Structure formats: structure tokens, C-alpha cells
Amino acid sequence: MIDLQEIKFGYSKKRVLFKDLNIRLKAGHIYGLLGKNGAGKTTLLKIMSGLCFPQCGVPTILGQNAVRRAPDVLSKIFFLGEEYFVPHLKIKDYVRSLSPFYLDFNYSQFEHYLKTFEIEDTKTYLDKLSFGQKKKVVISFALATNAQILMMDEPTNGLDIPSKSIFRQLLAASVSEEQLVIISTHQVRDLHSLIDAVVILDNGEIVLNEFTEKITQKLQFVRFNEQQCTKEDIVYQQDDLNGILAVLQNRNNLESKLDLELLFNAAMFNKEAINNIFNPKNIENHA
Amino acid sequence: MRNISIKRIGLLLSKFFIDNRRTELIRIITGFAVVLFVSYCSLHSPVVVVSDTLAMFFGIALILIIGWSASIFTSLKNKDKAIQYLLLPATTLEKTITNILLVHVYVPVAVFVIFAGGILLGYVLPSPIADKYTADLCFNFLQDDAADKVGTFLTILFCQSTMLFASVYFKKRALLKAVAVYAVVICVEAIIVVSVFLGLLTHFNFIGEKVVSGCGDFNLQYATYELCRNILLVAGTVLFWVLSYFRLRETEV
């Protein structure tokens, strides 16, 4: 669905952000795009959607060059930026203005999502809503487009705690096998139990691109006392109020629950070990 | 997929009018009120000078058309708006054609409606000193020399296309920046013309003589001059459309 090969990109010739970046994302999955501030998450989404043009390499989306911004591709993708422009319109007029461009838009779904987010009145002016309320409307719209590719940049920013939970439920319920969802965030806890693949980006480089299932096969997330394991198994460890949290190499195929925050920290502090575990030669492919 | 779909152009136009109906309505009402006020005062004044009224109407219309053209395309004004616009499922060509239709069809039609409506209403409103002769003259400007009108029309078309390009290129404060560019271009042109001619006259008197003496031989017919000017204006208009298209296509956010 999305295939970026040997992408080179920089906002200026001297400041290169991505160099030989390769990534392939498949349908039927919800990817969590994780990275520190300024790691290039938003830029990567923009390259995928055709908003930014790489200096080298071809970003392919739905089999076409993203740079071309072909309408048949654009009608099947929806990009929800961290901050989203809303005109001075009532919700119903906003939908009337934008929805005809998306052939699979479903108004009943939109109403259902709004209702779930507890936004009842579609005669309210969008720009008069709070940031969080606006976000709920736009998320509802994005989901109702039934776009094949849904890109969301920090979608939970500005949402209150119950709404974050509703967002996760709605997204999990609405995504089909034909769809691909990419959620970029630095708030890893918000994606817990939602994503089934993780992409970790650091300094313009893909540190990890794996399905969560494979991650828990190769890594173990545990709370332990130092005496309990050998040092060579430890990929990363950090102190916690109740002991030590650690990421271990899972040599004995033991089951553990994926801790995204711990995984992210492990990828940031021990990039080399993560690379070695997940086969650095093919890290960009889920062949 | 085809590069041009009438349906998608229709959707883009519909989106423009839904999104901007409030702003456009305010512009039309304000314009109408100004024209009505001016026309009422002029047409019902016993001391009005017809040529002054006509010039004022023409001036207001010109400013309105150019200002409106510069402000009609605001989709790249800020980053979030630009993201939404660039990812709208339509080709760049369709988006450019939509902008051309808005600037070259919608704006002049709206201005015409404002002026025709304003002048007509200003004329029919009862006044003890209504001057039918003055009012008739005001409407008569539409029946002026056809050749002059073509020139004026093409000049306005050219100015509009430069404004369209300016709004795509500059994104913010397009009118101001475009006017500044115009001013610089005119100044540079004036300096070049003045210095070249002054220089030629002062230092190369023989060339001046030759030119003057040869005037009869190379005297261009006014019609030929008009034709050349019109061709240049059309070419310039098309050039700025094409530039707008490429600028839009290459816009990154």
C-alpha cells in the first residue's frame, strides 16, 4: 500500500533529514509511528501523502507516485494533521462541502461517531468549538470517509481521557482488512492495545518496523530483580517505583505483554541491539 | 484517471461557495452599498460632472475587481489550510481551472451585478433633484467604442491573472506584495526608458535625428498597435495561468 524506497529528504540541502530511507506498510494493520520530537514523524507522513517531495527516491502510495497527487489516490487517503483547518461553517455544512470528494463517505457512520463522542448538535459552528471538540468532529469525519489509508498525526492531542478511550474503540471497530492506518505520536500510552505494528523513527532513520506479535516473540518485557537473569539478555532496563523494568531478548519463547514505552526507550538507548535482534538487513521489509 | 473532470471542478466550485459564502456575501453587500451611495449622491446632485462620476465608477470597479481577484484564492494562506487543499481529491489542473473561473468569471459578474444594481437602484430612488440626463450618460458608457472596451477588458484580464498568480505564489498578503512588485517594475521601466531616451538625445543626437526623420516611414498604425497590445495582454494572461498551475503543482507543505 505504501512503499518508500531510498528516500532522501531535507528541508534544505545542508540539513538532510532522511537518507536512504526504506519502509513498506501493508493493508489490514494499524501502525504506530513513534519517535521523539523532531524525529521526522510528520515529515514522513507528508512524504507518504505527497505533501513533501523527496530529493531522491520515489514514494509510492496505492501503486502510484505520491508526488503526482492523483485524485483517485487522494480520494482513498485521509490525512489528519495535528492541527486541522476548519472553516467558519456548521458541522453539517462542513460535511456537505468536503464529503462529496470521498466516494465512500458514510453520513450515518459520521453521525454515529459524533454521537459516541457526545457531539449532538450538527448546527454548531466548527470554529466556535474547543480544540478537543474540533478534533472529535474531524476524527469522526476521517473515520467516516472509509479511506483506504488513514494517516493521523497526534490524533489524541487535545482529547480528554474518556475521549481517548472512545477514539481507540471507534478506530479498532471501524478499520477493515483493506485499510491501513498510521498513527504518529510521541504519547505511546495512547496507542496501547490499538496498534498491531510499530515503526520507530530516530534521527531520520527507521530503527524498528515490526508487527507487535513478532516483537513479543523476540523480546520479553518484564519486571525483575537483577539477580534473576544474565546480563547479555538485557536489551534495556530502567528503574521503576516497584523495581526494575526491562526489555530482554526472548531466547526461551516466553510470553509477555508488549510495553510500548519500554520498547521505545530500548530502541532509543540501545539501537544497535534492537537492530541486531530484528535483522538489520531486512528491517525495512515485512517480506 | 482523466486530468479534467467537470464533476470535480463543480465540486471545487461548490466547496468554495459553501466555505466562503459569508465572506462573499459581505463583500457583495458592502460593494453594493458603496456603489448605491455613490450613484445616489452623483445621480441626484445638481452639480455633478458626468465624466468625473464615470471615472470614479470605473476606478472603484477596477480596484474592486483587482482586490477581489487577489483575495479569492486563500487556500495556501496557512499550513493547515494548505494541507487540506493540496490533498483535496482533484488534479492540479482542475484546481487551477477552478481558480481561473472564480477570478475571471465569478468576480467580474459579481462586480457587474454590484454596479448595475447599485446604479439602477440609485437612479430609481426618488429624489427631488433627479437628473435623468446624467443617469443616462452613466449607463451610456457601456455603449462606448468597442475597440476601447476590448483593450480595457484584456487589461483587466491580465491584471486579474497576475493577481491569481500572486495569490498562489505569495500565499499571504498577495495584493500588497503584487502591488509592490508592480510598483517596482513600473519604476525600473520608467528609469530605463527615461535614461535611455535622455541618453540617446543628449549624447547621440544623430540617432535622434534619424528617428525623428524616419517617423513618417515607420509610423505604426494605431490599429496595429492595438492588435499588438491585445496579443501581448492575452499572452501575458495565459502565461500567468500557466505559472499559477506549475507553482501550485510544486507547492509543498
Side-chain angles (χ1 to χ4, degrees), chain A residues 11-29:
Chain A
Y11 284 102
S12 68
K13 280 186 181 172
K14 285 180 183 172
R15 245 185 62 213
V16 176
L17 181 59
F18 298 128
K19 199 180 170 188
D20 295 330
L21 182 113
N22 299 290
I23 187 168
R24 187 174 291 162
L25 306 177
K26 286 179 170 182
H29 298 284

Side-chain angles (χ1 to χ4, degrees), chain B residues 2-185:
Chain B
R2 283 174 303 143
N3 249 349
I4 299 180
S5 152
I6 303 293
K7 191 187 166 196
R8 282 198 297 264
I9 293 174
L11 288 177
L12 287 168
L13 286 170
S14 152
K15 188 179 182 326
F16 172 83
F17 287 111
I18 295 173
D19 290 358
N20 302 288
R21 63 183 173 196
R22 192 165 163 260
T23 320
E24 294 304 305
L25 211 62
I26 290 171
R27 278 179 182 167
I28 290 171
I29 291 169
T30 314
F32 184 80
V34 170
V35 173
L36 178 64
F37 176 75
V38 172
S39 70
Y40 184 82
C41 293
S42 315
L43 301 177
H44 295 167
S45 162
V47 289
V48 74
V49 180
V50 178
S51 58
D52 287 353
T53 311
L54 285 178
M56 187 166 59
F57 278 147
F58 186 74
I60 295 173
L62 202 65
I63 290 167
L64 204 60
I65 287 179
I66 291 172
W68 206 331
S69 302
S71 61
I72 209 128
F73 180 73
T74 57
S75 300
L76 301 177
K77 211 171 177 178
N78 67 57
K79 207 174 75 179
D80 303 324
K81 206 172 175 183
I83 288 176
Q84 196 187 74
Y85 180 75
L86 293 174
L87 293 183
L88 269 182
T91 60
T92 309
L93 189 58
E94 287 160 356
K95 288 173 185 173
T96 308
I97 290 172
T98 307
N99 292 337
I100 289 171
L101 288 175
L102 287 170
V103 165
H104 293 294
V105 179
Y106 164 66
V107 170
V109 167
V111 171
F112 179 78
V113 168
I114 287 170
F115 272 79
I119 294 173
L120 200 65
L121 195 64
Y123 172 54
V124 297
L125 281 178
S127 165
I129 48 164
D131 184 347
K132 190 178 179 305
Y133 174 70
T134 311
D136 285 345
L137 276 177
C138 280
F139 283 109
N140 279 350
F141 80 94
L142 289 169
Q143 290 147 19
D144 282 349
D145 183 30
D148 276 354
K149 263 189 281 182
V150 171
T152 310
F153 171 74
L154 291 178
T155 308
I156 292 172
L157 211 67
F158 174 76
C159 289
Q160 284 185 294
S161 71
T162 58
M163 288 301 158
L164 172 64
F165 174 68
S167 57
V168 177
Y169 187 85
F170 294 123
K171 298 170 189 171
K172 283 180 187 172
R173 296 192 184 91
L175 180 64
L176 207 71
K177 288 172 186 169
V179 169
V181 172
Y182 264 129
V184 170
V185 169

Side-chain angles (χ1 to χ4, degrees), chain A residues 51 53 69 83 89 93 97, chain B residues 18-19 21 80 251-253:
Chain A
L51 285 168
F53 305 154
R69 293 180 192 148
E83 291 197 17
L89 286 180
D93 291 329
S97 148
Chain B
I18 295 173
D19 290 358
R21 63 183 173 196
D80 303 324
T251 301
E252 295 179 66
V253 183

